[in-house]
Amino acid sequence: ICLILTGCIKQGEKEILKEFQNKVNNANSYYLSGNMELVNNEDVYTYDISVSYQKDDYYKIELTNVINDHKQVILRNEEGVYIVTPSLNNS
């Protein structure tokens, strides 16, 4: 069955990638989440990241350190760009 289904696909890799890029470029909003590993000499820092984007370049990025659960938020709205550290009650 897998061979039959893969044989029926009419789009190639380039067409699928182009279609995906068009959808992302024309999106009004999107949400992404993932993990980031930052290596600094021998130290390794791991973060959970979530990104929310809305048309007109409004976004919110949340970075959470996996080890100590410290969070930073980067926010862009019509008033400007803000970096907020809730654990320090600081912006």
Side-chain angles (χ1 to χ4, degrees):
I1 294 175
C2 289
L3 292 174
I4 294 171
L5 290 176
T6 54
C8 294
I9 296 176
K10 295 180 181 178
Q11 290 183 324
E13 184 177 327
K14 290 181 182 179
E15 290 84 14
I16 292 171
L17 182 58
K18 186 176 180 179
E19 183 180 332
F20 174 74
Q21 288 173 337
N22 286 337
K23 285 185 180 188
V24 169
N25 290 336
N26 295 325
N28 290 325
S29 64
Y30 60 81
Y31 176 81
L32 302 170
S33 64
N35 300 314
M36 177 176 70
E37 198 170 85
L38 186 74
V39 179
N40 183 12
N41 294 325
E42 295 179 12
D43 298 326
V44 178
Y45 304 97
T46 305
Y47 293 91
D48 288 332
I49 300 175
S50 65
V51 178
S52 301
Y53 171 82
Q54 186 177 359
K55 194 173 185 176
D56 297 328
D57 291 331
Y58 298 139
Y59 56 82
K60 178 181 179 183
I61 303 169
E62 293 182 358
L63 303 161
T64 305
N65 187 312
V66 172
I67 294 174
N68 59 20
D69 206 35
H70 284 180
K71 182 184 281 190
Q72 276 196 322
V73 179
I74 302 169
L75 178 66
R76 183 184 189 288
N77 59 22
E78 64 275 348
E79 296 174 12
V81 177
Y82 301 93
I83 299 174
V84 180
T85 309
S87 62
L88 300 176
N89 197 21
N90 191 2
S91 64

